[in-house]
């Protein structure tokens, strides 16, 4: 018993010293990175100033200047170079955020690497996931959004981690109603009481980037949902994306040095950053919703269209930070009994497969909070799709290859399936087919 106690004590000391050493190593690695712009990621070097679909649409509609900036000088369209240039002129603010990020995240990152290098990831998964979610909540909206994106990826993350990340879909801290009213009045140019005859005292729902109120338009009497962006969201998000990008620059070489993982985390960071930055302009979300409704009307049959609803945005009353849309009464699918969920599975599959394989324009954030079953009114029983802030396009060529891959998977034609994956860029051209088959 004494020997066992001594061994446990020695192990605890070793683990603690390893974690402390790892934390110091990470901190020094970050500090040693020079003050230059984040490194270019090689996979998409020719697309370093990529402009997303929604930004293109906004430009076409005359809503967006791709080189525009806000009152503080922050770019309104995502560009890693321009964001880096902005924050490099504010070393004090950046250093403060770096310090907070390192203080909160370093213990988790070092624990993760310790578990990875010692073959304990499965054993430590639950506690690591819980710690990661706590860190995301403490770090704020950017990291909460990152967790929400990961929470709908069972193909990437194991069940225990998914369960912990699901906490980020509901347990979101709200900001004050006074702040929300100030945002509305600044964006709309009028007092809230002049625009609405009624306005809920508390938010009906809260998300990582915004919260929603129920209101009635004074002029028309129409009941609407009012989505209000968190104050200072652009500044906070852009700063965090800069931090994440610099972190990817530091961590990716370490991962490749100590593991066989060849994932391009810098490219993944850029993709996430572009999508999140685009979500900060609610006019893009409104345009996406209108476009999706139009495309689905062209592609779905009448009987299927009668089973879904996309709340109609009110474009004349939608700005960068405030969005008005048709009010609907519904409940999240995740809160329904299994029998009711089953009733909506068929139409849900049809709608999302149509988006992906037919029209090539799909909802990129279908977590449970964005899928409702309508419970009242003439649309009762319908599947409701919310929040089109994050969408993506799939070119026709890629859609055809995806269909081909599904066929080859069903027929167990593994060699053809590997070729499909190579054409899609999932596998490199020099992949050893024989070894995979």
């Amino acid at each position: 018993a004494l020997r066992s106690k001594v061994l446990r004590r020695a192990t605890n000391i070793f683990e603690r010293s390893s974690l402390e050493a790892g934390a110091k190593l990470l901190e020094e690695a970050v500090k040693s990175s020079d003050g230059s712009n984040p490194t270019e990621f090689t996979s998409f070097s020719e697309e370093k100033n990529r402009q997303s679909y929604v930004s293109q649409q906004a430009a076409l509609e005359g809503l967006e200047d791709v080189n525009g900036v806000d009152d503080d000088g922050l770019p309104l369209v995502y560009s890693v170079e321009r964001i880096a240039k902005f924050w490099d002129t504010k070393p004090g603010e950046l250093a403060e955020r770096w310090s907070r990020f390192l203080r909160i995240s370093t213990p988790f990152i070092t624990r993760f690497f310790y578990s990875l290098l010692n073959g304990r990831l499965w054993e430590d998964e639950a506690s690591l996931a819980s710690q990661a979610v706590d860190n995301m909540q403490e770090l704020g909206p950017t990291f909460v959004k990152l967790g929400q994106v990961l929470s709908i990826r069972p193909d990437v993350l194991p069940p225990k981690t998914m369960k912990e990340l699901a906490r980020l879909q509901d347990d979101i801290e709200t900001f004050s109603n006074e702040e929300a009213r100030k945002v509305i009045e600044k964006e709309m140019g009028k007092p809230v009481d002049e625009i609405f005859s009624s306005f809920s005292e508390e938010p009906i729902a809260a998300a990582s980037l915004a919260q929603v109120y129920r209101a009635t338009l004074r002029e028309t009497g129409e009941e609407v949902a009012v989505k209000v962006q968190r104050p200072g969201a652009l500044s906070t998000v852009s700063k965090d994306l800069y931090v994440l990008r610099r972190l990817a620059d530091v961590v990716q070489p370490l991962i490749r040095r100590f593991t066989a993982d060849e994932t391009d985390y810098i490219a993944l960071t850029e993709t996430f950053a572009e999508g999140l930055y685009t979500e900060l302009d609610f006019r893009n979300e409104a345009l996406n919703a209108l476009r999706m409704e139009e495309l689905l009307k062209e592609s779905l049959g009448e009987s299927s269209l009668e089973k879904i609803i996309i709340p109609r945005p009110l474009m004349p009353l939608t700005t960068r930070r405030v969005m008005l849309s048709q009010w609907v009464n519904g409940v999240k699918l995740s809160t329904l009994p299994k029998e009711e969920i089953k009733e909506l599975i068929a139409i849900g599959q049809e709608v999302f497969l149509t988006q992906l394989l037919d029209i090539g324009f799909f909802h990129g954030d279908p977590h449970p909070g964005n899928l409702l079953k309508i419970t009242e009114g003439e649309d009762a029983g319908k599947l409701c799709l919310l929040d089109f802030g994050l969408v993506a396009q799939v070119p026709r060529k890629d859609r055809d290859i995806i269909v081909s891959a599904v066929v080859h998977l069903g027929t167990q034609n593994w060699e053809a399936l590997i070729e499909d994956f190579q054409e899609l860029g999932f596998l490199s051209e020099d992949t050893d087919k024989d070894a995979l088959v």
Side-chain angles (χ1 to χ4, degrees):
L2 177 61
R3 181 174 182 273
S4 176
K5 184 176 182 180
V6 171
L7 284 175
R8 284 199 304 272
R9 176 63 175 165
T11 300
N12 289 336
I13 293 174
F14 173 75
E15 289 183 357
R16 185 166 62 251
S17 62
S18 296
L19 292 176
E20 291 171 353
K24 189 66 176 176
L25 174 64
L26 178 63
E27 184 174 359
E28 291 304 317
V30 172
K31 287 180 178 178
S32 66
S33 60
D34 60 30
S36 62
N37 288 351
T39 57
E40 292 293 342
F41 54 94
T42 57
S43 299
F44 301 91
S45 58
E46 74 280 4
E47 300 182 62
K48 64 181 182 180
N49 289 310
R50 288 177 297 161
Q51 187 183 358
S52 65
Y53 165 79
V54 284
S55 294
Q56 293 173 21
Q57 289 299 108
L60 290 173
E61 296 286 338
L63 297 176
E64 187 70 276
D65 174 8
V66 296
N67 295 313
V69 296
D70 72 353
D71 294 340
D72 297 323
L74 274 166
L76 298 177
V77 174
Y78 180 75
S79 164
V80 63
E81 292 87 357
R82 295 176 66 205
I83 290 175
K85 184 177 180 179
F86 176 87
W87 285 113
D88 282 342
T89 64
K90 301 179 182 295
E93 291 184 47
L94 196 59
E96 182 181 349
R97 186 56 174 169
W98 261 119
S99 176
R100 177 174 169 79
F101 175 80
L102 289 172
R103 177 176 59 81
I104 294 171
S105 66
T106 297
F108 165 76
I109 293 172
T110 51
R111 273 197 68 208
F112 174 83
F113 274 103
Y114 178 84
S115 295
L116 177 66
L117 295 174
N118 288 275
R120 292 179 46 171
L121 272 183
W122 288 109
E123 180 182 344
D124 298 339
E125 180 195 346
S127 63
L128 282 170
S130 178
Q131 184 179 1
V133 170
D134 291 341
N135 287 353
M136 288 173 177
Q137 290 176 319
E138 189 173 356
L139 285 167
T142 308
F143 297 88
V144 169
K145 188 65 179 181
L146 176 60
Q148 289 176 337
V149 170
L150 293 173
S151 74
I152 57 173
R153 295 299 305 273
D155 57 320
V156 174
L157 297 172
K160 291 180 182 177
T161 301
M162 296 285 293
K163 181 179 179 180
E164 286 293 332
L165 288 171
R167 287 197 278 136
L168 298 173
Q169 295 171 5
D170 298 303
D171 189 16
I172 306 296
E173 184 179 351
T174 62
F175 54 93
S176 74
N177 297 321
E178 182 180 355
E179 289 178 298
R181 283 175 168 263
K182 286 181 179 178
V183 171
I184 294 171
E185 292 179 354
K186 182 177 180 179
E187 291 291 301
M188 309 292 278
K190 295 180 181 179
V192 170
D193 292 339
E194 283 189 21
I195 306 170
F196 307 104
S197 57
S198 68
F199 193 87
S200 59
E201 294 184 2
E202 298 295 332
I204 305 301
S208 54
L209 301 178
Q211 58 195 36
V212 178
Y213 293 85
R214 184 175 184 173
T216 304
L217 287 173
R218 184 173 294 281
E219 185 175 341
T220 64
E222 181 179 1
E223 199 167 25
V224 294
V226 184
K227 184 174 182 178
V228 185
Q229 190 172 117
R230 290 181 178 273
L234 183 64
S235 175
T236 300
V237 167
S238 66
K239 192 187 304 181
D240 287 344
L241 293 177
Y242 182 97
V243 169
L244 283 173
R245 177 57 193 273
R246 293 298 294 271
L247 180 66
D249 289 343
V250 171
V251 171
Q252 180 162 296
L254 293 176
I255 291 176
R256 292 185 175 180
R257 179 179 177 183
F258 293 109
T259 75
D261 188 355
E262 290 294 323
T263 302
D264 193 340
Y265 290 99
I266 296 176
L268 287 176
T269 301
E270 283 291 292
T271 301
F272 168 72
E274 182 189 19
L276 179 57
Y277 213 81
T278 300
E279 284 193 73
L280 291 171
D281 188 341
F282 292 166
R283 298 168 301 176
N284 287 328
E285 178 181 342
L287 287 170
N288 287 339
L290 292 171
R291 178 64 173 159
M292 182 64 75
E293 184 178 37
E294 176 186 341
L295 291 172
L296 289 176
K297 283 181 178 179
E298 294 174 358
S299 302
L300 291 176
E302 190 65 32
S303 61
S304 296
L305 284 172
E306 292 176 352
K307 298 177 182 178
I308 65 169
I309 180 174
I310 296 174
R312 174 179 47 83
L314 281 62
M315 284 302 299
L317 296 174
T318 292
T319 70
R320 170 175 289 279
R321 299 195 297 159
V322 175
M323 176 179 168
L324 269 63
S325 60
Q326 170 190 359
W327 175 264
V328 294
N329 290 298
V331 295
K332 293 191 296 184
L333 297 194
S334 58
T335 65
L336 293 174
K338 292 183 179 180
E339 295 72 22
E340 291 189 50
I341 296 176
K342 288 180 180 178
E343 295 174 1
L344 297 171
I345 288 177
I347 184 61
Q349 288 177 329
E350 182 180 0
V351 167
F352 281 96
L353 287 175
T354 297
Q355 292 176 32
L356 178 63
L357 302 178
D358 186 9
I359 63 181
F361 181 79
F362 66 93
H363 192 304
D365 193 17
H367 65 74
N370 289 336
L371 297 171
L372 307 180
K373 178 181 179 180
I374 302 300
T375 55
E376 298 179 23
E378 60 183 14
D379 295 315
K382 292 184 178 181
L383 175 65
C384 177
L385 279 61
L386 297 175
D387 193 350
F388 288 85
L390 185 61
V391 299
Q393 292 187 104
V394 182
R396 167 56 66 184
K397 179 183 177 182
D398 288 350
R399 301 204 299 271
D400 292 340
I401 298 172
I402 293 173
V403 172
S404 175
V406 172
V407 172
H408 292 146
L409 178 64
T411 59
Q412 299 186 1
N413 187 341
W414 308 127
E415 291 185 358
L417 182 62
I418 292 172
E419 291 176 0
D420 292 332
F421 285 172
Q422 288 176 321
E423 286 194 65
L424 288 168
F426 297 164
L427 296 174
S428 64
E429 291 295 330
D430 59 356
T431 298
D432 187 345
K433 297 181 183 179
D434 293 335
L436 287 179
V437 172

